[in-house]
Amino acid sequence: MMIMRKSYRAALAIFALLVLAAAVSGAGDSQSEARELFPTRHSVEGAFLDFYRAIPNPELIYGYPITEAFTDETGLRVQYFQRARFELRPDGVVLTPLGSVLYHPGRPRSVLNTGSGGCRGFDSGFRVCGGFLAFFNAHGGVEQFGRPISPVEQDGVRHVQYFDYARLEWYPESRESGLEVRIGELGQLYFDFLEEDPGRLVSIQTNDIIQITQLRIHAFAATAAVRGAADQQVYIIVQDQTYAPVAGLELAITIRYPDGRLETHPAVSNAMGFVEVVIPVDPDRWGEGRVYIQAIAAVPDPEKSAQTSFWSTR
């Protein structure tokens, strides 16, 4: 009887171990097969999704996916996000060093003061200071962004600093606390740099009506400078989170002339999400002019504004 009880207990223990092993195996399979659809109508799955969800704020750091995962011409499995690109290597998922690849020195150095908080030096020979340093420390530091590879520079109207894996940008006009520093969308820039197939940006087609959760407003002056009484043309492109054009969006376009005078005009995006504005320039008032574009429609997104600038000369 004692031998039977021992055999029964042994069999029960073995059965329990088998059940536990099956459960662990099943959990692993479930994890590797997990798939998540994002507002850009692209999905992330498997090892890429595990890597994405391994940090507490991936939407802020990486953004949303702008392609599905695919195998590139070198045989490497990759996926593009708004602010990053993932690579599947034999030892796991890694980030493409987008900052290092896309950075080109030569921009004017900025004298921007991004707030108090001191500076921190790195063995790359550059420092991170103020608001950039606070953001850097709060969101993963060197492990997430790599080392700084540039000073703070002026890129058009924006002040930026490059890191191995990212670019930090300064948005002093932000009305929301904590959004003065943002991460540049280098994933999209690298996609264009490599001349990847634009068809990969096409989102998954469904019969659902896609709700606009993010606006992308881009503004460009036709020329960097105008002379005399020539008009300046400003082009505005409005897209949603899937990079699709947004038609019928009401915009407030504010022009600050070189003498400080302000004018505001309404505009509405056409079927292609496009607006063209003609700005008359007074030849007797030369200097820097700025154009600010603000969406009037209420959209739950802080990035619903844009600006550009130009010079008028005699």
Side-chain angles (χ1 to χ4, degrees):
M1 187 67 173
M2 183 65 67
I3 295 176
M4 290 181 63
R5 286 181 179 177
K6 287 183 179 180
S7 299
Y8 175 78
R9 289 174 182 172
L12 187 61
I14 293 172
F15 176 78
L17 288 173
L18 291 174
V19 170
L20 180 60
V24 171
S25 175
D29 292 342
S30 175
Q31 185 178 23
S32 64
E33 295 175 0
R35 178 175 177 273
E36 188 173 339
L37 186 64
F38 288 81
T40 51
R41 309 308 294 175
H42 286 289
S43 63
V44 185
E45 58 186 325
F48 283 160
L49 183 59
D50 294 343
F51 185 86
Y52 185 88
R53 289 300 179 195
I55 63 174
N57 50 359
E59 291 84 1
L60 172 68
I61 304 301
Y62 305 133
Y64 293 134
I66 59 174
T67 70
E68 300 295 302
F70 65 94
T71 301
D72 69 8
E73 295 178 352
T74 69
L76 183 65
R77 192 73 175 167
V78 301
Q79 184 165 16
Y80 284 84
F81 294 76
Q82 292 166 326
R83 305 181 184 99
R85 188 179 85 151
F86 292 1
E87 302 177 1
L88 184 58
R89 299 286 182 174
D91 54 349
V93 178
V94 299
L95 293 171
T96 302
L98 297 183
S100 297
V101 174
L102 295 174
Y103 175 64
H104 297 288
R107 297 181 183 87
R109 293 192 64 156
S110 171
V111 294
L112 171 72
N113 179 8
T114 61
S116 60
C119 297
R120 176 183 169 188
F122 293 81
D123 58 10
S124 60
F126 297 99
R127 301 189 305 167
V128 184
C129 302
F132 280 169
L133 180 60
F135 187 94
F136 179 87
N137 289 335
H139 297 291
V142 172
E143 182 178 353
Q144 188 62 61
F145 302 107
R147 303 170 306 162
I149 58 173
S150 81
V152 178
E153 299 176 341
Q154 188 162 350
D155 186 0
V157 299
R158 194 63 61 202
H159 300 273
V160 303
Q161 185 169 19
Y162 280 79
F163 296 76
D164 291 319
Y165 301 108
R167 181 181 70 195
L168 297 187
E169 303 174 350
W170 183 244
Y171 285 79
E173 71 274 17
S174 175
R175 297 179 181 178
E176 298 191 32
S177 176
L179 290 177
E180 296 86 359
V181 178
R182 303 176 193 174
I183 302 173
E185 296 193 352
L186 298 189
Q188 179 67 53
L189 287 178
Y190 193 56
F191 184 93
D192 297 337
F193 174 77
L194 290 185
E195 298 181 345
E196 298 277 20
D197 178 6
R200 297 193 183 278
L201 296 173
V202 178
S203 58
I204 296 174
Q205 299 298 312
T206 69
N207 294 324
D208 298 335
I209 297 176
I210 298 177
Q211 180 182 5
I212 296 177
T213 60
Q214 183 182 25
L215 280 179
R216 301 173 178 278
I217 303 179
H218 310 277
F220 312 91
T223 58
V226 292
R227 184 179 298 275
D231 292 336
Q232 173 67 284
Q233 289 179 303
V234 171
Y235 305 109
I236 302 164
I237 300 173
V238 185
Q239 300 171 313
D240 66 11
Q241 69 275 7
T242 70
Y243 296 90
V246 176
L249 184 72
E250 297 181 15
L251 301 170
I253 301 173
T254 300
I255 306 161
R256 191 190 75 188
Y257 285 95
D259 61 356
R261 177 169 53 96
L262 296 176
E263 289 184 4
T264 299
H265 304 278
V268 179
S269 60
N270 65 14
M272 299 301 296
F274 183 76
V275 177
E276 180 178 354
V277 182
V278 178
I279 301 172
V281 177
D282 186 343
D284 295 327
R285 295 170 175 167
W286 50 276
E288 184 187 25
R290 286 186 177 270
V291 182
Y292 303 91
I293 300 95
Q294 181 75 33
I296 299 175
V299 175
D301 172 43
E303 299 184 30
K304 54 178 181 289
S305 64
Q307 62 176 292
T308 187
S309 64
F310 62 92
W311 282 87
S312 58
T313 62
R314 293 178 178 176

